[in-house]
Amino acid sequence: MTEILAQDYLLEARQMQALSFVVHIPLVCIGIAFPALVLFVEWRYLRTGDELYRTLARRWSKVLVALFAAGVVTGTILSFELGLLWPNFTATFGGVFGLGFAIEGFSFFLEAIFIGIYVYGWNRLSPRAHFLSGLPIAVAGVIGSFMVISVNGWMNHPGHFTFENGRVISSNSAKALFANSFFWHEFIHMYVAGFIVTGFLVAASYAVYALRGRWGRYERTAFTVPMTAAAVAAPVQILVGDWAAREVAKNQPIKLAAMEGLGQTTKGAALHILGWYQNGDVIWGLGIPKLLSLLAFHNINATVLGLDTVPLADQPPVNVVRYSFQSMVFAGTFMALVAAFFLFFRWWRHRLPGSPWFYRAVVLCAPLSIVALLAGWITTEVGRQPWVVYGYMRTADAVTGASGIPVGYGALAAVYLALVIAVGWILVRLARSPMPPTPEDTDAVHPLSRTE
């Protein structure tokens, strides 16, 4: 009976942590990329003197403040959860990864200070000084995510510490976090994802305007800037994903086996699309011979370790990992195709696409970008199970023994629901706020007047 209760608490704690990640991680992406987009359009104002860019930057900066405030709430909750839900993890390994969270805290305060200066200084600083005050916002947003992902990279590929009798005897925090081969592909994968998610979310809001017939110069500019960022990032992510998969194959072969449903160690392993993993095999899936070996090791005859190399207790939930990974791949592929279509028209035909189906696809890419982001993190985190620190501490050994988690879970869900409603209300109010007049070109052609 005790084991059943302990397992129930473990599942509830993981669900509570997962809920916080689901809400927080999209805000992290926005914190990585959105300041850069705001600063880009303000830089265009400095270069051209065009008031449209200043208007766009100023309106976007209000959105940035609202989302930063939401990120403060969710980030603070996550910080408390780390100690409250996983006390054995923080007590045992806090001396190794604590440096990353300490620097992340400083970057957060730096970002908050300069966001205040940036927003307050629109009519109080010179244009150049105001632009420069925004640079620390972009830098701090990247540094914060850099530090947090360095901790996650270490959890997936721990090293540079001495572990004896369940205790850390000595460690080199800087090397553990930053001299970690697993960390770098995670960070770059997340950094590129930031521009994909932010770019498609912002572009989709203006694609809706296009579909509704509101397509002046302001809307076209506001669509083109984030759409270009997403369109450049989406194909790049395919290359980064290949790098990440090869690192997983080398350092976490069981995670790779779960991602692909490979039950037995196989030379020249096939890759299966869709299907269901059951009793060591993928059933009802489309198998492509030797493709897994090729993608994982760039060798069609390479041997790929299967789930049979570890006991069942050391295997992650295979179908959860498989379908998360495939959801990420399918969503990413669709977004890359939309990006390629946009870049073709933008760079080769020097205009925006005219088909309404393109703008509908962009609108679809907004939720798909979130799906790909969350599915990628599910693959990373669930694929690491049952370990919280890979090979050193199981998640079941890290969880709190306190009761009351269901009550906390319900309260947390209520807080997040209120937060989503509040942020949604603010964003709608900002979108509906009157816009100062901006110069309009006289030869604007609505995209839906063309057929491709």
Side-chain angles (χ1 to χ4, degrees), residues 38-53:
V38 175
L39 289 173
F40 173 78
V41 293
E42 187 177 6
W43 172 77
R44 290 291 296 162
Y45 164 68
L46 294 178
R47 287 290 304 271
T48 65
D50 190 337
E51 284 292 331
L52 182 145
Y53 290 111

Side-chain angles (χ1 to χ4, degrees), residues 182-441:
F182 210 82
F183 155 64
W184 290 102
H185 74 79
E186 275 198 13
F187 172 68
I188 295 174
H189 204 47
M190 184 65 178
Y191 184 77
V192 176
F195 282 91
I196 294 173
V197 171
T198 304
F200 277 121
L201 286 176
V202 178
S205 64
Y206 294 99
V208 171
Y209 288 149
L211 292 169
R212 291 179 177 178
R214 179 177 165 184
W215 200 239
R217 180 168 174 254
Y218 176 87
E219 287 78 19
R220 296 198 307 277
T221 304
F223 172 82
T224 302
V225 171
M227 186 63 207
T228 301
V232 172
V236 171
Q237 192 72 301
I238 296 175
L239 300 178
V240 178
D242 175 70
W243 172 26
R246 286 185 284 115
E247 287 295 330
V248 169
K250 181 172 65 175
N251 296 306
Q252 290 186 323
I254 301 307
K255 179 186 288 187
L256 178 68
M259 288 161 57
E260 301 298 345
L262 186 66
Q264 292 81 35
T265 299
T266 306
K267 181 179 180 181
L271 183 144
H272 288 85
I273 300 173
L274 299 177
W276 185 260
Y277 179 80
Q278 183 175 306
N279 299 325
D281 293 304
V282 174
I283 58 176
W284 305 313
L286 174 63
I288 304 176
K290 300 193 175 184
L291 184 57
L292 177 57
S293 291
L294 177 63
L295 293 177
F297 297 101
H298 291 183
N299 180 351
I300 61 173
N301 293 315
T303 298
V304 183
L305 297 181
L307 292 163
D308 60 340
T309 57
V310 297
L312 184 62
D314 291 344
Q315 298 176 14
V318 177
N319 284 310
V320 173
V321 178
R322 282 195 76 242
Y323 276 96
S324 296
F325 176 69
Q326 295 202 9
S327 296
M328 178 188 67
V329 171
F330 290 152
T333 301
F334 180 83
M335 289 186 289
L337 292 174
V338 173
F341 188 82
F342 171 79
L343 292 176
F344 171 78
F345 276 87
R346 184 65 183 163
W347 288 350
W348 275 268
R349 294 194 177 182
H350 306 289
R351 62 178 177 86
L352 296 176
S355 170
W357 288 104
F358 167 76
Y359 294 91
R360 294 186 185 110
V362 172
V363 173
L364 179 60
C365 283
L368 279 181
S369 68
I370 301 295
V371 168
L373 173 70
L374 297 179
W377 274 103
I378 291 171
T379 302
T380 298
E381 299 306 293
V382 178
R384 188 181 67 232
Q385 298 305 315
W387 305 100
V388 64
V389 179
Y390 198 72
Y392 287 91
M393 176 180 281
R394 291 177 178 269
T395 309
D397 296 328
V399 72
T400 179
S403 61
I405 290 181
V407 177
Y409 191 9
L412 185 67
V415 169
Y416 284 142
L417 178 61
L419 180 66
V420 169
I421 293 173
V423 172
W425 179 80
I426 292 171
L427 294 180
V428 170
R429 288 290 301 270
L430 291 175
R432 292 177 177 175
S433 62
M435 189 171 64
T438 55
E440 291 286 339
D441 51 358

Side-chain angles (χ1 to χ4, degrees), residues 18-77:
L19 175 62
S20 295
F21 273 119
V22 165
V23 179
H24 184 67
I25 287 177
L27 296 173
V28 173
C29 285
I30 293 170
I32 290 172
F34 200 35
L37 298 182
V38 175
L39 289 173
F40 173 78
V41 293
E42 187 177 6
W43 172 77
R44 290 291 296 162
Y45 164 68
L46 294 178
R47 287 290 304 271
T48 65
D50 190 337
E51 284 292 331
L52 182 145
Y53 290 111
R54 186 176 189 273
T55 299
L56 182 58
R58 189 163 186 173
R59 289 174 68 88
W60 280 1
S61 68
K62 296 177 182 179
V63 176
L64 179 64
V65 171
L67 296 178
F68 175 77
V72 170
V73 175
T74 58
T76 302
I77 291 173

